[in-house]
Amino acid sequence: TERTFIAVKPDGVQRGLFPEILSRFFNKGYKLVAIKLTMANEPLLREHYADLQSKPFFPSLLSYMLSGPVLATVWEGKDVVKQGRILLGATNPLASAPGTIRGDFAVDMGRNIIHGSDSVETAEKEIALWFKKEELVDYKPTLYSWIYE
Ligand code: GTP
Ligand code: MG
C-alpha cells in the first residue's frame, strides 16, 4: 500500500495545530504508521529540500525549518500521496482553498505549517530520510472494512 511523509513544520507545532492536523488524516480514513517530534538538522534539510537549493528563499526556508521541533509522520492508505496534498492545500496559502489545512490555518508561504510528499517516489525517499525502518509499525486498523470496500 501507498505511504506518504507528512511533517508539521515548526510553526504548526508551536501554534498547537498538530492535533487538528492529525485528526484530518485520521478522519479521512488514513492509517498512521510512524510519528515523532524531532529537531531537523541542516544536512537532513539539504537533502529533503535538495531540489530547492538554488532558490533565493532557500536560506530562510532552512532557518524556518530549524526554528523548532517538527512533527514527522508517515501515513498509509489508498492514494494517500495525492490525497495528502489535497488535504494540505496549495503551497501558497493565498491560493489554498478554505477547508484545506493551509487554507484554514496559514497566510504566508514562508509559514505554511505543513509539508507533504509530492509523489510516490519522493515519499519513499523522504520516509527513508526521516525514519529508521524499525520506526515504521505494521498493524491492521480495526476500522478498515468500514473505510475500504
Ligand atoms: P512542501 O510540502 O513543504 O514541500 O511544500 P510544496 O511541495 O507545496 O512546495 P515546494 O516543495 O515547492 O516548497 C517547499 C517549501 O518552501 C514550501 O512549503 C514553502 O514553505 C517554501 N517556499 C516555496 N516557495 C517559496 C517562496 O517563493 N517563498 C518562500 N518564502 N518560501 C517558499
Ligand atoms: Mg515540496
Side-chain angles (χ1 to χ4, degrees), residues 4-141:
T4 194
F5 175 69
I6 301 291
V8 183
K9 297 177 178 180
D11 49 341
V13 173
Q14 292 282 0
R15 292 175 59 196
L17 293 172
F18 55 90
E20 166 77 28
I21 289 168
L22 296 175
S23 292
R24 291 191 181 205
F25 280 83
F26 282 128
N27 290 344
K28 179 74 180 168
Y30 290 126
K31 167 183 162 185
L32 183 66
V33 296
I35 184 166
K36 69 179 168 192
L37 190 64
T38 181
M39 287 296 295
N41 58 64
E42 198 172 319
L44 175 89
L45 291 170
R46 285 189 180 278
E47 197 165 337
H48 178 81
Y49 282 131
D51 56 324
L52 301 175
Q53 299 249 20
S54 61
K55 302 280 185 189
F57 60 82
F58 189 74
S60 60
L61 177 60
L62 264 189
S63 58
Y64 165 41
M65 292 298 290
L66 289 169
S67 65
V70 167
L71 188 75
T73 64
V74 178
W75 296 85
E76 186 180 284
K78 188 178 180 188
D79 298 320
V80 70
V81 172
K82 211 173 261 179
Q83 287 289 347
R85 297 280 290 191
I86 292 169
L87 291 176
L88 264 58
T91 308
N92 189 344
L94 197 62
S96 44
T100 67
I101 293 165
R102 287 162 173 167
D104 286 349
F105 302 117
V107 291
D108 199 318
M109 180 123 82
R111 295 289 184 272
N112 63 358
I113 68 169
I114 189 161
H115 162 82
S117 306
D118 60 15
S119 71
V120 172
E121 297 71 44
T122 314
E124 283 166 5
K125 280 187 207 151
E126 291 176 348
I127 291 166
L129 181 64
W130 288 80
F131 286 97
K132 298 180 197 127
K133 236 185 172 156
E134 59 268 28
E135 290 177 312
L136 306 171
V137 294
D138 190 28
Y139 62 102
K140 189 170 166 48

